[in-house]
C-alpha cells in the first residue's frame, strides 16, 4: 500500500501553519507523528490534497509548569517524551501511566499527545484497506451511505479509541485551539461530539496547540484499559476516574468517563453521584460500577463481542476505584 | 512542493552523508529500499503494526513505513546495513546468530535496531524491560524467547561480562 500523492508543507511557526491550513481549506490536513494519518491515507480513508506537518514546530514541543500551577503540554510532544518527563512522572502519574498503554515504544517515539487526543474514530467496517471497503460498498463514514454496524442508522458509530481522551476529560484538562481567526481554550470534554464522522468540535482549520493539565489540589485519577493483547492494541473499553477526596476520606467530587464504547467519551453521572458524599466503601463502588454497566452500550464494531465488553465494564470500574481507594 | 516534481534531500545515512531524489509522497521505507537500494529494512504490514521496518532516526526507533522520506532531511538515519563496522558484526548481530534468534530472518532488522536503541539507554535491561521495548516487533517464527536471550547476552557482552545461556536455550528441554 502506498500513500496517495499530496503536497507536503513544513511550516516553521504555528502562525504559518494555520495560515497554510486556511489556504488549503477542506483539502488540507495537519500531521504530527503520522501514525494515525498515514495508515488512513494508505487505506484511502483520508485523502487530503495538502498535508501540513507540525511535527518540528518548537512551539508545540514544550512541557512547562508543574503540579502547583498546572502543566501545559504542547500537542507535538511525543508520547515517549510525555511518559519520561520528570514533572509528568512526579505530579501526573495517571497521565504517564495512561500514555504508557498507548501502542508500542516505537510508535510512542513517533505519535504525539495532540495526535492521540484527535485520533480518528475506529470501526471494523472502516479500518480496512480500500478494496475491502469497496467489497462491502463502503460505509457511512467514508465513501458509502450505510452504517454496517447499525444499518438503519443515519449516524456513524465509529468508536472513540484514544487512551488519553477519557483521562483528560475526567481530570478536567483544557485544550488550546489556534486558527487564523485567533485562539480559544475549551474543556477537553467540549472537544468531542457523539458522531463517528464529525467526532470533534474543533473546526477543520483549527490547530490543537496544547493541552493544559489542571493544578493538583487533592484530586487523584487513574485509567484502566481493556484490550486483547497486553503488548499493544487499541482500547475496546477504557475507564477513567478522577476523585476529589476530603481529609476525612469523604469523596467530594467524582468524574467517571468511559472510552472505547461510543463515538465520544461517555460520562456516567449516576456513577459519580453514587461515589460522592461519603468514604469510598464497597457499596458505593458497587453502585458506581453498576451505573457504568447500565450506561455502557458498546456496538459490535470493535474487537471482542459487544456483550462481553459491556460485562467487563463492572470489573474495570471496580479496579479503577480500588486503585484510588 | 507538488506531487509531480522529485524531492531531493541530504541526510546522514549509516554515518555517511547521503543525498537522494524521490517522489515526494514516498515513505522513508520506500526511499531506502527503492531509491537507495538498501533492502535490509523490511516491508511488512505498511500500517505500523509489525515493526519490521524499524530504523533509527536521530538515534530513536521509528517505523519507516510511517515516516516520509522528506522528514529525513538533515537528520541521521541508521538501518541494519549500518550496524556492523570495520571491527565486525554488532554484538546484537552476533548473539542473534548464536542463539538462533533469527529463523526466517524477516523481522530481524527491526528487532536489532529497536534492541540497539534499548541498550543505548539501558545497558542492563531486565527481561520485562526487553519485552516492553520489543513489544512492537512481531516475530512469527521463534516465539521471542531466543530473541530476549540474544538481547540479554549482547547486553552482557557489551558490559564486558561473561554470560552463559540457560542450558535449555542451547539444547532445548531435555
Amino acid at each position: 500500500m502506498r500513500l496517495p500523492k499530496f503536497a507536503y508543507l513544513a511550516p516553521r511557526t504555528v502562525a504559518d501553519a494555520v495560515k497554510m491550513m486556511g489556504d488549503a481549506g477542506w483539502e488540507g490536513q495537519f500531521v504530527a507523528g503520522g501514525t494515525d494519518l498515514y495508515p488512513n491515507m494508505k487505506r484511502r480513508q483520508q485523502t487530503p490534497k495538502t498535508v501540513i506537518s507540525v511535527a518540528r514546530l518548537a512551539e508545540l514541543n514544550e512541557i512547562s509548569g508543574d503540579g502547583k500551577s498546572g502543566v501545559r503540554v504542547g500537542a507535538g510532544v511525543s508520547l515517549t517524551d510525555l511518559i519520561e518527563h520528570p514533572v509528568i512522572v512526579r505530579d501526573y502519574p495517571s497521565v504517564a501511566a495512561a500514555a504508557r498503554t498507548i501502542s508500542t515504544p516505537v510508535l510512542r517515539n513517533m505519535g504525539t499527545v495532540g495526535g492521540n487526543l484527535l485520533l480518528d474514530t475506529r470501526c471494523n467496517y472502516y479500518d480496512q484497506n480500500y478494496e475491502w471497503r469497496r467489497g462491502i460498498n463502503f460505509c457511512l463514514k467514508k465513501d458509502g451511505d450505510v452504517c454496517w454496524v447499525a444499518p438503519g442508522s443515519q449516524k456513524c458509530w465509529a468508536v472513540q479509541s484514544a487512551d488519553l481522551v477519557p483521562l483528560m476529560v475526567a481530570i478536567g484538562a483544557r485544550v488550546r485551539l489556534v486558527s487564523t481567526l485567533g485562539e480559544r481554550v475549551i474543556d477537553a470534554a467540549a472537544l468531542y461530539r457523539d458522531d463517528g464522522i464529525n467526532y470533534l468540535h474543533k473546526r477543520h482549520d483549527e490547530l490543537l496547540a496544547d493541552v493544559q493539565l489542571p493544578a493538583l489540589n487533592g484530586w487523584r485519577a487513574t485509567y484502566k484499559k481493556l484490550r486483547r493483547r497486553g503488548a499493544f492494541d487499541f482500547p475496546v473499553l477504557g475507564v477513567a476516574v478522577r476523585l476529589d477526596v476530603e481529609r476525612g476520606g469523604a469523596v467530594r467530587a467524582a468524574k467517571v468517563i468511559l472510552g472505547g464504547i461510543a463515538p465520544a467519551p461517555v460520562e456516567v453521572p449516576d456513577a459519580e453521584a453514587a461515589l460522592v458524599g461519603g468514604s469510598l466503601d464497597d457499596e458505593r463502588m458497587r453502585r458506581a460500577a453498576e451505573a457504568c454497566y447500565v450506561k455502557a452500550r458498546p456496538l459490535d464494531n470493535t474487537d471482542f463481542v459487544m456483550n462481553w465488553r459491556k460485562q467487563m465494564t463492572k470489573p474495570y470500574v471496580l479496579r479503577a476505584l480500588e486503585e484510588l481507594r | 512542493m507538488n506531487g509531480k516534481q522529485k524531492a531531493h534531500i541530504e541526510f546522514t545515512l549509516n554515518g555517511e552523508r547521503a543525498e537522494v531524489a524521490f517522489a515526494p509522497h514516498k515513505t522513508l521505507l520506500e526511499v531506502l529500499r527503492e531509491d537507495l537500494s538498501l533492502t535490509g529494512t523490511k516491508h511488512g504490514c505498511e500500517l505500523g503494526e509489525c515493526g519490521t521496518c524499524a530504523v533509527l532516526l536521530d538515534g530513536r526507533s521509528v517505523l519507516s513505513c510511517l515516516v516520509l522520506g522528506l522528514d529525513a532531511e538533515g537528520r541521521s538515519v541508521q538501518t541494519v546495513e549500518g550496524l556492523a563496522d570495520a571491527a565486525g558484526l554488532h554484538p546484537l548481530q552476533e548473539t542473534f546468530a548464536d542463539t538462533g534468534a533469527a529463523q526466517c530472518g524477516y523481522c530481524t532488522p527491526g528487532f536489532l535496531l529497536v534492541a540497539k536503541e534499548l541498550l543505548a539507554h539501558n545497558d542492563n535491561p531486565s527481561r520485562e524491560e526487553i519485552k516492553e521495548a520489543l513489544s512492537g516487533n512481531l516475530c512469527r517464527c521463534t516465539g521471542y524467547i531466543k530473541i530476549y536471550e540474544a538481547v540479554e547476552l549482547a547486553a552482557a557482552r557489551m558490559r564486558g561480562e561473561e554470560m552463559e545461556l540457560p542450558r535449555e536455550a542451547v539444547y532445548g528441554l531435555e
Side-chain angles (χ1 to χ4, degrees), chain A residues 94 167 219-224 239-245 249 251 253-256 275 280 285 317-325:
Chain A
S94 60
L167 184 67
W219 60 267
R220 288 189 304 138
T222 190
Y223 174 73
K224 296 293 172 201
V239 176
V241 179
R242 165 182 161 152
L243 294 181
D244 295 58
V245 180
V251 176
K255 279 276 178 196
V256 180
L275 294 169
L280 197 59
M285 285 167 53
V317 171
L318 287 174
R319 268 178 224 184
L321 293 170
E322 196 67 55
E323 186 181 309
L324 296 174
R325 177 140 79 160

PDB file of all heavy atoms in Angstrom, chain A residues 94 167 219-224 239-245 249 251 253-256 275 280 285 317-325:
ATOM      1  N   SER A  94      -0.895   9.446  36.689  1.00  0.00           N
ATOM      2  CA  SER A  94      -2.003   8.818  35.951  1.00  0.00           C
ATOM      3  C   SER A  94      -1.887   9.121  34.460  1.00  0.00           C
ATOM      4  O   SER A  94      -2.229   8.287  33.616  1.00  0.00           O
ATOM      5  CB  SER A  94      -3.352   9.307  36.477  1.00  0.00           C
ATOM      6  OG  SER A  94      -3.476  10.712  36.339  1.00  0.00           O
ATOM      7  N   LEU A 167      -9.187  10.051  30.138  1.00  0.00           N
ATOM      8  CA  LEU A 167      -8.486  10.589  31.306  1.00  0.00           C
ATOM      9  C   LEU A 167      -8.458  12.126  31.272  1.00  0.00           C
ATOM     10  O   LEU A 167      -8.691  12.781  32.291  1.00  0.00           O
ATOM     11  CB  LEU A 167      -7.055  10.037  31.372  1.00  0.00           C
ATOM     12  CG  LEU A 167      -6.294  10.466  32.612  1.00  0.00           C
ATOM     13  CD1 LEU A 167      -6.898   9.844  33.870  1.00  0.00           C
ATOM     14  CD2 LEU A 167      -4.819  10.098  32.508  1.00  0.00           C
ATOM     15  N   TRP A 219      -6.863  16.104  44.050  1.00  0.00           N
ATOM     16  CA  TRP A 219      -7.501  15.060  43.249  1.00  0.00           C
ATOM     17  C   TRP A 219      -6.495  13.989  42.836  1.00  0.00           C
ATOM     18  O   TRP A 219      -5.306  14.237  42.766  1.00  0.00           O
ATOM     19  CB  TRP A 219      -8.195  15.644  42.023  1.00  0.00           C
ATOM     20  CG  TRP A 219      -7.288  16.379  41.063  1.00  0.00           C
ATOM     21  CD1 TRP A 219      -7.032  17.712  41.062  1.00  0.00           C
ATOM     22  CD2 TRP A 219      -6.532  15.821  39.969  1.00  0.00           C
ATOM     23  NE1 TRP A 219      -6.151  18.037  40.058  1.00  0.00           N
ATOM     24  CE2 TRP A 219      -5.838  16.905  39.362  1.00  0.00           C
ATOM     25  CE3 TRP A 219      -6.373  14.544  39.437  1.00  0.00           C
ATOM     26  CZ2 TRP A 219      -5.001  16.727  38.261  1.00  0.00           C
ATOM     27  CZ3 TRP A 219      -5.531  14.373  38.338  1.00  0.00           C
ATOM     28  CH2 TRP A 219      -4.864  15.454  37.763  1.00  0.00           C
ATOM     29  N   ARG A 220      -7.034  12.805  42.630  1.00  0.00           N
ATOM     30  CA  ARG A 220      -6.238  11.715  42.073  1.00  0.00           C
ATOM     31  C   ARG A 220      -7.042  11.068  40.955  1.00  0.00           C
ATOM     32  O   ARG A 220      -8.266  11.148  40.941  1.00  0.00           O
ATOM     33  CB  ARG A 220      -5.900  10.680  43.146  1.00  0.00           C
ATOM     34  CG  ARG A 220      -4.853  11.209  44.153  1.00  0.00           C
ATOM     35  CD  ARG A 220      -4.379  10.105  45.079  1.00  0.00           C
ATOM     36  NE  ARG A 220      -5.503   9.507  45.767  1.00  0.00           N
ATOM     37  CZ  ARG A 220      -5.638   8.190  45.969  1.00  0.00           C
ATOM     38  NH1 ARG A 220      -4.741   7.350  45.532  1.00  0.00           N
ATOM     39  NH2 ARG A 220      -6.692   7.730  46.624  1.00  0.00           N
ATOM     40  N   ALA A 221      -6.338  10.417  40.052  1.00  0.00           N
ATOM     41  CA  ALA A 221      -7.038   9.846  38.898  1.00  0.00           C
ATOM     42  C   ALA A 221      -6.351   8.563  38.460  1.00  0.00           C
ATOM     43  O   ALA A 221      -5.197   8.291  38.822  1.00  0.00           O
ATOM     44  CB  ALA A 221      -7.064  10.846  37.747  1.00  0.00           C
ATOM     45  N   THR A 222      -7.069   7.791  37.674  1.00  0.00           N
ATOM     46  CA  THR A 222      -6.476   6.582  37.091  1.00  0.00           C
ATOM     47  C   THR A 222      -7.218   6.217  35.820  1.00  0.00           C
ATOM     48  O   THR A 222      -8.314   6.723  35.544  1.00  0.00           O
ATOM     49  CB  THR A 222      -6.514   5.410  38.085  1.00  0.00           C
ATOM     50  OG1 THR A 222      -5.723   4.327  37.567  1.00  0.00           O
ATOM     51  CG2 THR A 222      -7.924   4.914  38.310  1.00  0.00           C
ATOM     52  N   TYR A 223      -6.572   5.361  35.035  1.00  0.00           N
ATOM     53  CA  TYR A 223      -7.162   4.904  33.774  1.00  0.00           C
ATOM     54  C   TYR A 223      -6.929   3.403  33.645  1.00  0.00           C
ATOM     55  O   TYR A 223      -5.812   2.924  33.866  1.00  0.00           O
ATOM     56  CB  TYR A 223      -6.509   5.632  32.595  1.00  0.00           C
ATOM     57  CG  TYR A 223      -6.944   5.118  31.239  1.00  0.00           C
ATOM     58  CD1 TYR A 223      -8.222   5.393  30.756  1.00  0.00           C
ATOM     59  CD2 TYR A 223      -6.089   4.366  30.444  1.00  0.00           C
ATOM     60  CE1 TYR A 223      -8.636   4.922  29.518  1.00  0.00           C
ATOM     61  CE2 TYR A 223      -6.491   3.896  29.198  1.00  0.00           C
ATOM     62  CZ  TYR A 223      -7.763   4.176  28.742  1.00  0.00           C
ATOM     63  OH  TYR A 223      -8.161   3.706  27.516  1.00  0.00           O
ATOM     64  N   LYS A 224      -7.982   2.685  33.329  1.00  0.00           N
ATOM     65  CA  LYS A 224      -7.865   1.234  33.113  1.00  0.00           C
ATOM     66  C   LYS A 224      -8.313   0.917  31.683  1.00  0.00           C
ATOM     67  O   LYS A 224      -9.316   1.456  31.208  1.00  0.00           O
ATOM     68  CB  LYS A 224      -8.749   0.465  34.108  1.00  0.00           C
ATOM     69  CG  LYS A 224      -8.331   0.651  35.555  1.00  0.00           C
ATOM     70  CD  LYS A 224      -6.980   0.011  35.830  1.00  0.00           C
ATOM     71  CE  LYS A 224      -6.482   0.358  37.211  1.00  0.00           C
ATOM     72  NZ  LYS A 224      -5.030   0.191  37.324  1.00  0.00           N
ATOM     73  N   VAL A 239     -11.604   3.052  31.148  1.00  0.00           N
ATOM     74  CA  VAL A 239     -12.286   3.630  32.303  1.00  0.00           C
ATOM     75  C   VAL A 239     -11.355   4.647  32.951  1.00  0.00           C
ATOM     76  O   VAL A 239     -10.270   4.289  33.411  1.00  0.00           O
ATOM     77  CB  VAL A 239     -12.651   2.543  33.342  1.00  0.00           C
ATOM     78  CG1 VAL A 239     -13.285   3.200  34.575  1.00  0.00           C
ATOM     79  CG2 VAL A 239     -13.588   1.508  32.740  1.00  0.00           C
ATOM     80  N   ALA A 240     -11.784   5.910  32.970  1.00  0.00           N
ATOM     81  CA  ALA A 240     -11.007   6.950  33.647  1.00  0.00           C
ATOM     82  C   ALA A 240     -11.833   7.476  34.813  1.00  0.00           C
ATOM     83  O   ALA A 240     -13.025   7.739  34.668  1.00  0.00           O
ATOM     84  CB  ALA A 240     -10.665   8.081  32.690  1.00  0.00           C
ATOM     85  N   VAL A 241     -11.188   7.585  35.969  1.00  0.00           N
ATOM     86  CA  VAL A 241     -11.873   8.095  37.160  1.00  0.00           C
ATOM     87  C   VAL A 241     -11.001   9.164  37.801  1.00  0.00           C
ATOM     88  O   VAL A 241      -9.786   8.993  37.918  1.00  0.00           O
ATOM     89  CB  VAL A 241     -12.118   6.965  38.195  1.00  0.00           C
ATOM     90  CG1 VAL A 241     -12.812   7.536  39.428  1.00  0.00           C
ATOM     91  CG2 VAL A 241     -12.940   5.846  37.586  1.00  0.00           C
ATOM     92  N   ARG A 242     -11.633  10.273  38.156  1.00  0.00           N
ATOM     93  CA  ARG A 242     -10.962  11.291  38.989  1.00  0.00           C
ATOM     94  C   ARG A 242     -11.776  11.443  40.261  1.00  0.00           C
ATOM     95  O   ARG A 242     -13.006  11.584  40.219  1.00  0.00           O
ATOM     96  CB  ARG A 242     -10.911  12.637  38.270  1.00  0.00           C
ATOM     97  CG  ARG A 242     -10.558  13.786  39.230  1.00  0.00           C
ATOM     98  CD  ARG A 242     -10.530  15.148  38.572  1.00  0.00           C
ATOM     99  NE  ARG A 242     -10.636  16.193  39.598  1.00  0.00           N
ATOM    100  CZ  ARG A 242     -10.130  17.421  39.481  1.00  0.00           C
ATOM    101  NH1 ARG A 242      -9.492  17.767  38.383  1.00  0.00           N
ATOM    102  NH2 ARG A 242     -10.289  18.301  40.438  1.00  0.00           N
ATOM    103  N   LEU A 243     -11.088  11.413  41.405  1.00  0.00           N
ATOM    104  CA  LEU A 243     -11.757  11.607  42.685  1.00  0.00           C
ATOM    105  C   LEU A 243     -11.119  12.764  43.433  1.00  0.00           C
ATOM    106  O   LEU A 243      -9.888  12.876  43.485  1.00  0.00           O
ATOM    107  CB  LEU A 243     -11.643  10.346  43.559  1.00  0.00           C
ATOM    108  CG  LEU A 243     -12.360   9.081  43.093  1.00  0.00           C
ATOM    109  CD1 LEU A 243     -12.138   7.974  44.116  1.00  0.00           C
ATOM    110  CD2 LEU A 243     -13.842   9.323  42.871  1.00  0.00           C
ATOM    111  N   ASP A 244     -11.969  13.617  43.996  1.00  0.00           N
ATOM    112  CA  ASP A 244     -11.518  14.649  44.922  1.00  0.00           C
ATOM    113  C   ASP A 244     -11.966  14.201  46.308  1.00  0.00           C
ATOM    114  O   ASP A 244     -13.166  14.126  46.565  1.00  0.00           O
ATOM    115  CB  ASP A 244     -12.140  16.000  44.583  1.00  0.00           C
ATOM    116  CG  ASP A 244     -11.674  16.518  43.232  1.00  0.00           C
ATOM    117  OD1 ASP A 244     -11.877  15.808  42.226  1.00  0.00           O
ATOM    118  OD2 ASP A 244     -11.106  17.613  43.182  1.00  0.00           O
ATOM    119  N   VAL A 245     -10.998  13.885  47.151  1.00  0.00           N
ATOM    120  CA  VAL A 245     -11.315  13.295  48.454  1.00  0.00           C
ATOM    121  C   VAL A 245     -10.947  14.269  49.567  1.00  0.00           C
ATOM    122  O   VAL A 245      -9.853  14.850  49.561  1.00  0.00           O
ATOM    123  CB  VAL A 245     -10.554  11.964  48.637  1.00  0.00           C
ATOM    124  CG1 VAL A 245     -10.880  11.337  49.995  1.00  0.00           C
ATOM    125  CG2 VAL A 245     -10.894  11.003  47.511  1.00  0.00           C
ATOM    126  N   GLY A 249     -11.694  11.607  54.301  1.00  0.00           N
ATOM    127  CA  GLY A 249     -11.873  10.441  53.461  1.00  0.00           C
ATOM    128  C   GLY A 249     -13.160  10.445  52.656  1.00  0.00           C
ATOM    129  O   GLY A 249     -13.417   9.535  51.864  1.00  0.00           O
ATOM    130  N   VAL A 251     -15.620  11.437  49.704  1.00  0.00           N
ATOM    131  CA  VAL A 251     -15.458  11.848  48.307  1.00  0.00           C
ATOM    132  C   VAL A 251     -16.276  13.122  48.079  1.00  0.00           C
ATOM    133  O   VAL A 251     -17.490  13.135  48.261  1.00  0.00           O
ATOM    134  CB  VAL A 251     -15.926  10.730  47.355  1.00  0.00           C
ATOM    135  CG1 VAL A 251     -15.842  11.202  45.908  1.00  0.00           C
ATOM    136  CG2 VAL A 251     -15.087   9.476  47.560  1.00  0.00           C
ATOM    137  N   ALA A 253     -15.990  15.082  45.137  1.00  0.00           N
ATOM    138  CA  ALA A 253     -16.412  15.162  43.734  1.00  0.00           C
ATOM    139  C   ALA A 253     -15.816  13.964  43.001  1.00  0.00           C
ATOM    140  O   ALA A 253     -14.760  13.458  43.374  1.00  0.00           O
ATOM    141  CB  ALA A 253     -15.926  16.466  43.111  1.00  0.00           C
ATOM    142  N   ALA A 254     -16.508  13.539  41.962  1.00  0.00           N
ATOM    143  CA  ALA A 254     -16.037  12.385  41.190  1.00  0.00           C
ATOM    144  C   ALA A 254     -16.354  12.598  39.719  1.00  0.00           C
ATOM    145  O   ALA A 254     -17.366  13.220  39.364  1.00  0.00           O
ATOM    146  CB  ALA A 254     -16.715  11.108  41.687  1.00  0.00           C
ATOM    147  N   LYS A 255     -15.458  12.123  38.889  1.00  0.00           N
ATOM    148  CA  LYS A 255     -15.711  12.079  37.446  1.00  0.00           C
ATOM    149  C   LYS A 255     -15.451  10.655  36.991  1.00  0.00           C
ATOM    150  O   LYS A 255     -14.405  10.063  37.314  1.00  0.00           O
ATOM    151  CB  LYS A 255     -14.756  13.012  36.700  1.00  0.00           C
ATOM    152  CG  LYS A 255     -15.170  14.457  36.718  1.00  0.00           C
ATOM    153  CD  LYS A 255     -16.174  14.742  35.616  1.00  0.00           C
ATOM    154  CE  LYS A 255     -16.602  16.209  35.691  1.00  0.00           C
ATOM    155  NZ  LYS A 255     -17.829  16.436  34.902  1.00  0.00           N
ATOM    156  N   VAL A 256     -16.397  10.098  36.260  1.00  0.00           N
ATOM    157  CA  VAL A 256     -16.240   8.745  35.725  1.00  0.00           C
ATOM    158  C   VAL A 256     -16.512   8.812  34.222  1.00  0.00           C
ATOM    159  O   VAL A 256     -17.621   9.177  33.812  1.00  0.00           O
ATOM    160  CB  VAL A 256     -17.199   7.754  36.399  1.00  0.00           C
ATOM    161  CG1 VAL A 256     -17.010   6.360  35.818  1.00  0.00           C
ATOM    162  CG2 VAL A 256     -16.990   7.749  37.910  1.00  0.00           C
ATOM    163  N   LEU A 275     -20.771   7.870  44.061  1.00  0.00           N
ATOM    164  CA  LEU A 275     -19.477   7.931  44.748  1.00  0.00           C
ATOM    165  C   LEU A 275     -19.366   9.101  45.723  1.00  0.00           C
ATOM    166  O   LEU A 275     -18.576   9.052  46.669  1.00  0.00           O
ATOM    167  CB  LEU A 275     -18.342   8.029  43.717  1.00  0.00           C
ATOM    168  CG  LEU A 275     -18.151   6.798  42.838  1.00  0.00           C
ATOM    169  CD1 LEU A 275     -17.201   7.103  41.687  1.00  0.00           C
ATOM    170  CD2 LEU A 275     -17.628   5.623  43.662  1.00  0.00           C
ATOM    171  N   LEU A 280     -15.094   5.978  50.289  1.00  0.00           N
ATOM    172  CA  LEU A 280     -15.165   5.066  49.145  1.00  0.00           C
ATOM    173  C   LEU A 280     -15.275   3.631  49.662  1.00  0.00           C
ATOM    174  O   LEU A 280     -14.297   2.907  49.727  1.00  0.00           O
ATOM    175  CB  LEU A 280     -13.899   5.258  48.292  1.00  0.00           C
ATOM    176  CG  LEU A 280     -13.925   4.717  46.880  1.00  0.00           C
ATOM    177  CD1 LEU A 280     -15.047   5.334  46.075  1.00  0.00           C
ATOM    178  CD2 LEU A 280     -12.588   5.003  46.210  1.00  0.00           C
ATOM    179  N   MET A 285     -18.796   1.758  45.639  1.00  0.00           N
ATOM    180  CA  MET A 285     -18.083   1.284  44.455  1.00  0.00           C
ATOM    181  C   MET A 285     -18.962   0.355  43.621  1.00  0.00           C
ATOM    182  O   MET A 285     -18.996   0.436  42.395  1.00  0.00           O
ATOM    183  CB  MET A 285     -16.789   0.570  44.889  1.00  0.00           C
ATOM    184  CG  MET A 285     -15.710   1.555  45.326  1.00  0.00           C
ATOM    185  SD  MET A 285     -14.307   0.813  46.205  1.00  0.00           S
ATOM    186  CE  MET A 285     -13.785  -0.466  45.108  1.00  0.00           C
ATOM    187  N   VAL A 317     -14.314  -0.820  36.207  1.00  0.00           N
ATOM    188  CA  VAL A 317     -14.621   0.335  37.066  1.00  0.00           C
ATOM    189  C   VAL A 317     -14.185   0.026  38.499  1.00  0.00           C
ATOM    190  O   VAL A 317     -13.571   0.873  39.171  1.00  0.00           O
ATOM    191  CB  VAL A 317     -16.130   0.668  37.003  1.00  0.00           C
ATOM    192  CG1 VAL A 317     -16.496   1.709  38.060  1.00  0.00           C
ATOM    193  CG2 VAL A 317     -16.502   1.167  35.618  1.00  0.00           C
ATOM    194  N   LEU A 318     -14.448  -1.187  38.942  1.00  0.00           N
ATOM    195  CA  LEU A 318     -14.043  -1.563  40.302  1.00  0.00           C
ATOM    196  C   LEU A 318     -12.527  -1.513  40.460  1.00  0.00           C
ATOM    197  O   LEU A 318     -12.009  -1.053  41.474  1.00  0.00           O
ATOM    198  CB  LEU A 318     -14.571  -2.957  40.647  1.00  0.00           C
ATOM    199  CG  LEU A 318     -16.080  -3.040  40.896  1.00  0.00           C
ATOM    200  CD1 LEU A 318     -16.522  -4.487  41.085  1.00  0.00           C
ATOM    201  CD2 LEU A 318     -16.475  -2.203  42.123  1.00  0.00           C
ATOM    202  N   ARG A 319     -11.808  -1.980  39.445  1.00  0.00           N
ATOM    203  CA  ARG A 319     -10.343  -1.937  39.507  1.00  0.00           C
ATOM    204  C   ARG A 319      -9.840  -0.500  39.620  1.00  0.00           C
ATOM    205  O   ARG A 319      -8.908  -0.210  40.375  1.00  0.00           O
ATOM    206  CB  ARG A 319      -9.738  -2.554  38.238  1.00  0.00           C
ATOM    207  CG  ARG A 319      -9.453  -4.015  38.377  1.00  0.00           C
ATOM    208  CD  ARG A 319      -8.908  -4.556  37.063  1.00  0.00           C
ATOM    209  NE  ARG A 319      -9.559  -5.822  36.791  1.00  0.00           N
ATOM    210  CZ  ARG A 319      -9.278  -6.601  35.771  1.00  0.00           C
ATOM    211  NH1 ARG A 319      -8.374  -6.234  34.885  1.00  0.00           N
ATOM    212  NH2 ARG A 319      -9.893  -7.749  35.602  1.00  0.00           N
ATOM    213  N   ALA A 320     -10.463   0.382  38.839  1.00  0.00           N
ATOM    214  CA  ALA A 320     -10.046   1.790  38.883  1.00  0.00           C
ATOM    215  C   ALA A 320     -10.297   2.368  40.274  1.00  0.00           C
ATOM    216  O   ALA A 320      -9.434   3.035  40.853  1.00  0.00           O
ATOM    217  CB  ALA A 320     -10.798   2.591  37.819  1.00  0.00           C
ATOM    218  N   LEU A 321     -11.481   2.094  40.819  1.00  0.00           N
ATOM    219  CA  LEU A 321     -11.831   2.646  42.135  1.00  0.00           C
ATOM    220  C   LEU A 321     -10.962   2.036  43.233  1.00  0.00           C
ATOM    221  O   LEU A 321     -10.539   2.720  44.162  1.00  0.00           O
ATOM    222  CB  LEU A 321     -13.311   2.413  42.422  1.00  0.00           C
ATOM    223  CG  LEU A 321     -14.262   3.208  41.514  1.00  0.00           C
ATOM    224  CD1 LEU A 321     -15.695   2.736  41.689  1.00  0.00           C
ATOM    225  CD2 LEU A 321     -14.143   4.703  41.798  1.00  0.00           C
ATOM    226  N   GLU A 322     -10.707   0.736  43.095  1.00  0.00           N
ATOM    227  CA  GLU A 322      -9.853   0.061  44.082  1.00  0.00           C
ATOM    228  C   GLU A 322      -8.478   0.734  44.135  1.00  0.00           C
ATOM    229  O   GLU A 322      -7.918   0.926  45.216  1.00  0.00           O
ATOM    230  CB  GLU A 322      -9.720  -1.414  43.667  1.00  0.00           C
ATOM    231  CG  GLU A 322      -9.207  -2.336  44.747  1.00  0.00           C
ATOM    232  CD  GLU A 322     -10.186  -2.476  45.908  1.00  0.00           C
ATOM    233  OE1 GLU A 322     -11.358  -2.841  45.695  1.00  0.00           O
ATOM    234  OE2 GLU A 322      -9.750  -2.175  47.013  1.00  0.00           O
ATOM    235  N   GLU A 323      -7.970   1.077  42.980  1.00  0.00           N
ATOM    236  CA  GLU A 323      -6.652   1.714  42.948  1.00  0.00           C
ATOM    237  C   GLU A 323      -6.671   3.072  43.650  1.00  0.00           C
ATOM    238  O   GLU A 323      -5.661   3.491  44.233  1.00  0.00           O
ATOM    239  CB  GLU A 323      -6.194   1.878  41.500  1.00  0.00           C
ATOM    240  CG  GLU A 323      -4.772   2.388  41.392  1.00  0.00           C
ATOM    241  CD  GLU A 323      -4.345   2.565  39.948  1.00  0.00           C
ATOM    242  OE1 GLU A 323      -4.497   1.620  39.149  1.00  0.00           O
ATOM    243  OE2 GLU A 323      -3.865   3.668  39.616  1.00  0.00           O
ATOM    244  N   LEU A 324      -7.807   3.763  43.584  1.00  0.00           N
ATOM    245  CA  LEU A 324      -7.883   5.107  44.176  1.00  0.00           C
ATOM    246  C   LEU A 324      -8.322   5.078  45.635  1.00  0.00           C
ATOM    247  O   LEU A 324      -8.354   6.089  46.313  1.00  0.00           O
ATOM    248  CB  LEU A 324      -8.858   5.976  43.369  1.00  0.00           C
ATOM    249  CG  LEU A 324      -8.428   6.255  41.926  1.00  0.00           C
ATOM    250  CD1 LEU A 324      -9.527   6.984  41.169  1.00  0.00           C
ATOM    251  CD2 LEU A 324      -7.132   7.070  41.898  1.00  0.00           C
ATOM    252  N   ARG A 325      -8.709   3.887  46.108  1.00  0.00           N
ATOM    253  CA  ARG A 325      -9.217   3.808  47.482  1.00  0.00           C
ATOM    254  C   ARG A 325      -8.098   4.015  48.480  1.00  0.00           C
ATOM    255  O   ARG A 325      -6.997   3.513  48.314  1.00  0.00           O
ATOM    256  CB  ARG A 325      -9.880   2.439  47.693  1.00  0.00           C
ATOM    257  CG  ARG A 325     -10.379   2.238  49.095  1.00  0.00           C
ATOM    258  CD  ARG A 325     -11.708   1.544  49.102  1.00  0.00           C
ATOM    259  NE  ARG A 325     -11.565   0.103  48.895  1.00  0.00           N
ATOM    260  CZ  ARG A 325     -12.528  -0.772  49.235  1.00  0.00           C
ATOM    261  NH1 ARG A 325     -13.660  -0.336  49.730  1.00  0.00           N
ATOM    262  NH2 ARG A 325     -12.363  -2.049  49.011  1.00  0.00           N
TER     263      ARG A 325
END
